[in-house]
Amino acid sequence: MGEKRPGNSCALCTSAVETFEKLRGLCALVVKSKMTVTTFTDSFRDPDAARALAEAIRARSTRPIRLMEFCGGHTHAILRYGIPSLLPETIDLRSGPGCPVCVTSATDLDRAITLAQVPRAILTTFGDMVRVPGSRASLSQAKAQGADVRVVYSPLDALQIARQNPDRPVIFLGVGFETTAPMVASAVVAAETEGVGNFYVFSTHKLTPPATRAILDAGEVALDGIIGPGHVTTVIGSEAWRFLPDDYTIPVAIAGFEPLDILRAILALVEMIEEGKPDVANAYARSVRPEGNPAAQQVMERVFEIADADWRGFGTVPASGLRLREEYARFDAGRAFPVEVEPAREPPGCRCGEILRGVLRPPDCPLFARACTPEHPVGPCMVSAEGACAAYYRYGNLERRTAHVEREM
Amino acid sequence: MCLGIPGRIVEIDDNPLMRMGKVDFGGVIREVCLAYVPEAQVGDYVIVHVGFAISRIDEEEAQETLRLLAEMGLSVSDELEGGKER
C-alpha cells in the first residue's frame, strides 16, 4: 500500500493514467520533506484528499446519524469549506455551544457594561465582545457614551495597559473556554509577581465538558457523536472526553480546523458508530496529546477554581465556570467593584439559546437572514464571527439548508 | 475565539518571569509567550492562541497524518477503479 518514505519517488504515481491527476496532489503531500507554516494549513486543505475522505465516509456510512461540532471555529470552517456538500445525506451536522461570546449570558454582559462605567476605569476585552448586545446596550454603545473600552489581542496587552495607567483601574473581561483561561491566569500571576495593583479580571470563563454533559442530559437533541474542540483539547487533553464513551456511550473525535482535519474526525466518528465501539479518537494529533498541556492546566488551576456559571441558552450549569480563587480575590473585578444589575432580558424572538443547544439550526429561526443579519444582528449568534448564525449567513448553502429544514418538519 | 495560528519560533528569551520568544507567522514576526511549551526550541512550530503558544506541533504526527491521507486517497482510487470494472 503506497510508498511510505517521504522523499522517494512514488511508484504509484506512474500507474493508471486516469488516476494520475488525483494521485499527483496526494503524493505532493508526502514528498514534502521540509516543513513550512503552510504545511500545517495548505496541505490540510488539499481538495483531492478531501474528496477521498468524503468517499471513504460515504462508503462507510449506512444509517442516518447526527453529529455535533462543539466548537464555533469548527462551525465556521465546516461552512467555509462547504463540508456539508461533501457529506452523504445520512450525516446531519449540528452546531453546539462553542462560541464563548454567544454563551456569555446577558446578565454577565450587563455587569461588564456597568463595570466599564466605574469612574476612570478602562475595560479591556477581545474584539468580538464589544458588539454583543446585553439587555440594554453593548460595550461599543457604552464606549460611544464615554466609557473607556479597549479591544486587546492578548490578556498580556491588558496587563500592559494597567502598567501604563497605574492610577486607573484596568479591568479585563475574561471570556472563553479552557483554551483562553490559562492566558488570563498567566496575566494575573504576572500582575501579582510585578505588584501591578490596578489590574482586575471579570471572569466569565467556561468549561466545555460540563456544557456537553448538559446537552446530552437534557436529551432535547439526539446525538450520535461529538466533534471535539481542537484547541480546548490541546489544553485539557483528549482523555478529558473519556466520559463521552464511558457515561453516554457515544464517540468523540478531536478535530483540527482545516477541512481534512474535520473530515478525518467525521470518518473516525462514522467508523466508531458503525462498529458500535464508541471511543475517544484524536484526529488532531499534531497538536493534541492525551494529557493535554500540563503547564497551561497548572496555571489555570492555580488562579481559578470551578464554580457554577450562567450560560446563554442553558441557564446555570453546575461546576461549568471558572472564578478567581480566594488567594487572587484582589484581582477579581466582581469583588473589587460589586455591581448590581437588573434581571437581564433576551432579545425578543431570538432563538440563539436553542441554536447553542443544538436543538435548532440557524435557518429555523424566523428572524434569520430577515430581521437578523450580520449588519443588524439581533442576537449574539449573529454578532460573533464564530456564531452559528453568522457562519450560516456567510457561507451557508441555502438549498441544502432548506432541504434539511423540510426533512425535519 | 479558540483560534490558533501556526508559526515557527525564531528566537527565545528565557525570561525568568515568563518564557517569551519571537514567532514567524509566514513572514510576520510577533512576540509570543512560550511559558506553556517549555520543551520548544528555535525552529520548532507552535500553535499560538491570544499571544501564547499552546502546543508544539508534532511534525512527525503531521507527516504521518498526511501519509495516511495520501494512502487513503490511493485506496479509494483503487476502489473506484475496481467499481468501474465490475
Side-chain angles (χ1 to χ4, degrees), chain A residues 34-256:
Chain A
K34 190 162 172 58
M35 292 242 166
T36 66
V37 167
T38 56
T39 308
F40 308 111
T41 52
D42 294 3
S43 300
F44 288 88
R45 291 175 193 168
D46 184 82
D48 290 331
R51 277 189 286 274
L53 275 167
E55 280 302 329
I57 291 168
R58 202 175 288 275
R60 204 72 183 81
S61 179
T62 62
R63 63 186 183 88
I65 56 169
R66 183 179 287 141
L67 309 176
M68 175 178 275
E69 79 274 5
F70 184 96
C71 177
H74 281 151
T75 301
H76 192 87
I78 284 167
L79 293 163
R80 178 178 177 193
Y81 294 110
I83 286 176
S85 66
L86 292 173
L87 297 177
E89 287 290 315
T90 43
I91 298 177
D92 177 15
L93 293 179
R94 277 299 155 104
S95 302
C99 162
V101 170
C102 305
V103 294
T104 303
S105 71
T107 307
D108 280 343
L109 267 163
D110 290 347
R111 281 200 191 101
I113 291 163
T114 311
L115 284 170
Q117 289 155 348
V118 165
R120 296 183 52 72
I122 302 171
L123 188 115
T124 57
T125 191
F126 297 124
D128 259 6
M129 281 308 287
V130 297
R131 287 180 62 220
V132 181
S135 18
R136 276 157 286 271
S138 65
L139 282 167
S140 76
Q141 286 163 325
K143 180 176 180 157
Q145 289 162 11
D148 193 344
V149 176
R150 302 187 194 180
V151 169
V152 292
Y153 163 65
S154 167
L156 295 181
D157 298 339
L159 180 61
Q160 182 61 14
I161 292 172
R163 290 188 195 106
Q164 291 164 346
N165 295 273
D167 56 340
R168 300 179 64 184
V170 174
I171 301 166
F172 180 72
L173 167 55
V175 288
F177 299 122
E178 298 92 334
T179 323
T180 316
M183 293 73 187
V184 178
S186 283
V188 170
V189 170
E192 182 193 39
T193 309
E194 296 175 35
V196 181
N198 61 323
F199 179 68
Y200 303 93
V201 169
F202 177 50
S203 169
T204 69
H205 291 294
K206 292 179 174 63
L207 303 172
T208 51
T212 310
R213 279 185 184 271
I215 287 170
L216 294 167
D217 290 343
E220 290 176 296
V221 54
L223 297 174
D224 301 287
I226 304 282
I227 299 172
H231 291 144
V232 160
T233 310
T234 294
V235 172
I236 67 176
S238 52
E239 280 306 300
W241 298 98
R242 180 64 57 193
F243 70 93
L244 286 170
D246 285 0
D247 300 352
Y248 296 91
T249 58
I250 66 168
V252 56
I254 314 305

Side-chain angles (χ1 to χ4, degrees), chain B:
Chain B
M1 178 66 70
C2 295
L3 190 68
I5 303 166
R8 184 171 166 272
I9 299 176
V10 291
E11 197 180 304
I12 290 177
D13 168 17
D14 272 311
N15 182 327
L17 290 177
M18 203 178 270
R19 186 172 202 243
M20 301 295 291
K22 290 203 166 65
V23 173
D24 180 355
F25 299 95
V28 180
I29 294 176
R30 286 279 160 82
E31 187 157 55
V32 165
C33 177
L34 302 175
Y36 306 154
V37 286
E39 76 285 12
Q41 300 301 322
V42 170
D44 284 347
Y45 288 88
V46 286
I47 291 176
V48 177
H49 171 70
V50 300
F52 288 71
I54 55 171
S55 64
R56 188 182 66 80
I57 299 177
D58 189 325
E59 292 187 30
E60 279 179 22
E61 283 286 357
Q63 290 282 22
E64 176 66 8
T65 302
L66 293 171
R67 190 185 64 77
L68 287 172
L69 285 169
E71 277 192 6
M72 209 182 68
L74 300 180
S75 68
V76 169
S77 303
D78 292 346
E79 273 174 36
L80 290 175
E81 289 305 298
K84 273 182 198 167
E85 281 164 23
R86 280 194 294 273

Side-chain angles (χ1 to χ4, degrees), chain A residues 293-307:
Chain A
N293 184 318
Q297 290 166 17
Q298 278 160 18
V299 70
M300 184 162 54
E301 279 158 29
R302 174 174 166 186
V303 172
F304 291 113
E305 63 188 359
I306 293 173

